[in-house]
Amino acid sequence: MFKLFRIKRGLILLVSSLIITILVILGRSKISTATQTHEVRGVWLTNVDSQVLFSSQNLKNALSRLNKLNFNTIYPTVWNGGYTRMALRKAISYIP
């Protein structure tokens, strides 16, 4: 009888250990997916040695190319040499 008790106790410990191990592994996978962050892939669009910002078609072409290259953030030059890149009238029309 004492031997049977030891076998049952051993099986209970084995099953409990397996359940705890599975729960820990599942918990870690949920934590790792929850802490994944969004990758920022950015590029600076400038007016120096570039014609991208000087026409709508050039800008569309550049944005299309950057999209194909998986860039998801764009930093356009809006202030250069002490002046804004667009006239104040036009800048005000973009302010919500």
Side-chain angles (χ1 to χ4, degrees):
M1 182 152 151
F2 187 68
K3 196 174 191 178
L4 184 62
F5 176 73
R6 285 177 45 193
I7 292 173
K8 283 184 181 180
R9 186 178 69 175
L11 284 174
I12 290 172
L13 287 174
L14 178 65
V15 170
S16 299
S17 297
L18 286 173
I19 290 173
I20 290 171
T21 303
I22 290 170
L23 290 175
V24 167
I25 290 171
L26 290 176
R28 282 188 181 169
S29 68
K30 287 181 182 177
I31 289 171
S32 66
T33 56
T35 58
Q36 289 177 349
T37 58
H38 177 70
E39 179 184 37
V40 175
R41 297 190 73 207
V43 65
W44 191 274
L45 290 181
T46 180
N47 62 328
V48 178
D49 278 344
S50 172
Q51 296 298 313
V52 171
L53 298 177
F54 293 106
S55 79
S56 296
Q57 189 59 46
N58 288 351
L59 186 58
K60 286 178 188 177
N61 292 342
L63 294 178
S64 175
R65 184 172 184 195
L66 290 170
N67 186 39
K68 289 176 186 172
L69 294 171
N70 294 322
F71 283 90
N72 57 18
T73 305
I74 307 228
Y75 303 98
T77 298
V78 293
W79 186 274
N80 196 9
Y83 299 96
T84 59
R85 288 285 310 133
M86 61 178 67
L88 185 58
R89 279 189 316 276
K90 199 169 188 179
I92 289 173
S93 69
Y94 287 106
I95 298 173

